[in-house]
Amino acid sequence: MSATRRVSIFGATGSIGQNTIDLIRRDPHAYEVVALTGGRNVGRLAADAAELGAEIAVTCHDEELPALRAALAGSGVEAASGDAAMIEAASRPADWVMSAIVGAAGLAPGLKALETGATLALANKESMVCAGPLMLAAAKRHGGTILPVDSEHSAVFQALLGEDISAVERVIITASGGAFRDWPLEKLATATPEEAATHPNWDMGQRITIDSASMFNKALELIETKEFFRIAPDRIETVVHPESLIHALVGFTDGALMAHVGPPDMRHAIGFALHHPHRKPLPVQRLDLAAIGQLTFRPADETRWPALRLAREVMVAGGLSGAIFNAAKERALDAFIARRIGFLQMTDVVAETLDRLSAEVGLNDAVIDLDTVMQADHLARKAADEIIGHQGADLWTS
Ligand code: NAD
Ligand code: MG
């Protein structure tokens, strides 16, 4: 094995973070762990940091620092907390960094890692949705690389290897359809957070699982596709594929479709990014196509999933509308989880926030830098909270 690689994992305690650690743990001598970050699960964070011999472990919550310190006592791992510590950890030189914080909170640490010239394995799709041009420019300016970890975007990336991007006619992002794929439309209004937080095929964090049921996850992914691969919105499609085995397809000008097929296991996309530009054996299931029998597809109906329609509007508008869309979605999701609004109202909140803020002068054509993105994010959260306050229905207590 060649020299060890310095790696950091942001969002190490989450679903993607733990899958990343699973791969690193299988070959511990190949890696030197720099920083691990997490939230309230400081027990898990400290145990992993001590086991992997990390330089530093950071929790985003200041009030968790004493517990993190106590859990790391005698381990030789530094403990820190808060946003500034997160950025300081991200500025420490590393060869490969996993960006797996959930939400817009992942943007600043990922951007900082790119500014060190690191390779950024990007699970945090929100970074691309909120600030795609900023991320690509930072990678270019500092000689870094961004590798997609979202399974669909890893699939597109792999289908494009060795291809000429100008020969791409369309990109098709598949969608499982989430928890409510087969529910009658009239039942959706009363769907609960618990019902939305189950996924037919993938085992993921709570927020992305609910976003899969509402298709906000797919909406984010369509925008991510446009930003990542610089593909025109009208060339980006989605189709419901209940088996979740084909992750994406790329269509070329000669009519050929290149599909990426694999089991629904994020260690594939994570491992691909970890070993890129090489391929190494990964501990994922090998598909038995004869046993699977058939792969099925259905249209992604924008009446059932209006989030997809909003994604199209955002892709066309560009500018800061991605940041507004994402922030409003995060607040609507918080309100749904807290049972303050119903499942279908999440889309109403996001649509109304977009309407309100797109009328604000300059927002859609402002220069995109971290400040303007964070300002748009802040304004959108405020507007969304106001709209949620007006909606205010409590669907479950009566
Ligand atoms: P998760 O909820 O399981 O984990 C999130 C991680 O982020 C945790 O370590 C948590 O402590 C940390 N975190 C949460 N809020 C934070 C904040 N404000 N500041 C700093 N850290 C914070 O989420 P996940 O499912 O692992 O998803 C992580 C990211 O990867 C998301 O952007 C998601 O869309 C994307 N993604 C996930 C999957 C998947 O299979 N889980 C697949 C594709 C993409
Ligand atoms: Mg995905």
Side-chain angles (χ1 to χ4, degrees):
M1 187 74 215
S2 51
T4 57
R5 293 165 71 203
R6 288 171 60 85
V7 303
S8 287
I9 304 170
F10 306 155
T13 54
S15 167
I16 293 286
Q18 289 292 298
N19 276 305
T20 308
I21 289 175
D22 176 77
L23 293 180
I24 284 179
R25 191 177 269 139
R26 289 163 193 267
D27 195 5
H29 302 299
Y31 306 101
E32 214 176 301
V33 176
V34 182
L36 297 185
T37 82
R40 300 209 183 276
N41 193 350
V42 291
R44 176 82 271 141
L45 181 62
D48 289 340
E51 178 201 329
L52 299 172
E55 270 176 28
I56 184 167
V58 186
T59 164
C60 62
H61 303 291
D62 288 328
E63 64 277 19
E64 300 288 355
L65 184 58
L68 182 62
R69 277 217 178 99
L72 284 171
S75 67
V77 181
E78 276 174 69
S81 71
D83 291 344
M86 204 77 80
I87 297 299
E88 191 281 321
S91 69
R92 296 188 183 203
D95 301 302
W96 187 89
V97 174
M98 167 54 76
S99 167
I101 289 172
V102 63
L107 172 61
L111 202 54
K112 181 54 79 177
L114 278 178
E115 287 168 6
T116 69
T119 293
L120 190 71
L122 189 69
N124 180 263
K125 62 194 77 183
E126 295 89 346
S127 294
M128 273 293 158
V129 170
C130 298
L134 196 56
M135 296 290 289
L136 297 182
K140 197 167 173 194
R141 189 165 339 109
H142 301 279
T145 308
I146 310 176
L147 296 169
V149 171
D150 218 341
S151 56
E152 296 77 2
H153 305 75
S154 176
V156 172
F157 186 93
Q158 294 180 53
L160 284 173
L161 287 174
E163 299 286 355
D164 177 359
I165 190 99
S166 67
V168 172
E169 201 169 60
R170 58 185 179 145
V171 170
I172 306 171
I173 300 293
T174 59
S176 70
F180 304 144
R181 176 176 71 205
D182 300 314
W183 278 37
L185 268 180
E186 54 284 4
K187 241 183 104 184
L188 291 180
T190 54
T192 65
E194 291 72 25
E195 288 166 332
T198 58
H199 198 284
N201 306 325
W202 293 91
D203 179 12
M204 311 184 284
Q206 180 206 34
R207 298 180 73 85
I208 183 176
T209 305
I210 299 177
D211 283 349
S212 297
S214 62
M215 283 277 199
F216 268 115
N217 181 50
K218 212 48 56 182
L220 293 172
E221 290 182 356
L222 295 178
I223 304 167
E224 182 187 11
T225 304
K226 176 207 156 197
E227 297 296 341
F228 206 109
F229 300 103
R230 312 304 304 151
I231 289 178
D234 60 358
R235 293 178 185 271
I236 303 170
E237 304 168 20
T238 183
V239 66
V240 174
H241 168 47
E243 294 84 9
S244 293
L245 295 175
I246 295 183
H247 304 302
L249 307 96
V250 177
F252 294 93
T253 44
D254 61 357
L257 274 177
M258 300 296 286
H260 179 280
V261 190
D265 184 334
M266 284 310 294
R267 291 177 305 176
H268 177 76
I270 297 167
F272 178 83
L274 183 60
H275 300 307
H276 180 76
H278 308 290
R279 282 194 191 266
K280 298 223 168 131
L282 292 172
V284 300
Q285 182 205 342
R286 271 45 176 177
L287 294 180
D288 177 345
L289 294 178
I292 291 162
Q294 59 179 358
L295 299 177
T296 61
F297 305 92
R298 355 173 164 159
D301 175 1
E302 293 189 5
T303 318
R304 174 178 278 271
W305 294 297
L308 297 175
R309 181 178 44 75
L310 293 179
R312 292 229 163 262
E313 291 173 16
V314 168
M315 285 195 285
V316 171
L320 293 168
S321 61
I324 296 167
F325 175 82
N326 177 68
K329 191 281 294 175
E330 288 194 32
R331 294 307 286 154
L333 177 58
D334 291 337
F336 173 61
I337 291 171
R339 295 172 133 76
R340 294 183 56 213
I341 59 172
F343 182 73
L344 295 177
Q345 285 174 294
M346 286 194 282
T347 323
D348 301 339
V349 169
V350 175
E352 207 177 318
T353 307
L354 277 167
D355 274 355
R356 255 201 218 183
L357 292 192
S358 60
E360 297 224 356
V361 189
L363 217 45
N364 277 353
D365 45 30
V367 179
I368 299 198
D369 59 28
L370 191 55
D371 286 345
T372 54
V373 170
M374 293 324 288
Q375 191 208 0
D377 176 279
H378 173 75
L379 288 174
R381 280 169 205 266
K382 220 171 109 200
D385 285 351
E386 271 170 36
I387 295 162
I388 289 162
H390 295 152
Q391 301 227 348
D394 196 332
L395 294 165
W396 294 282
T397 51
S398 53

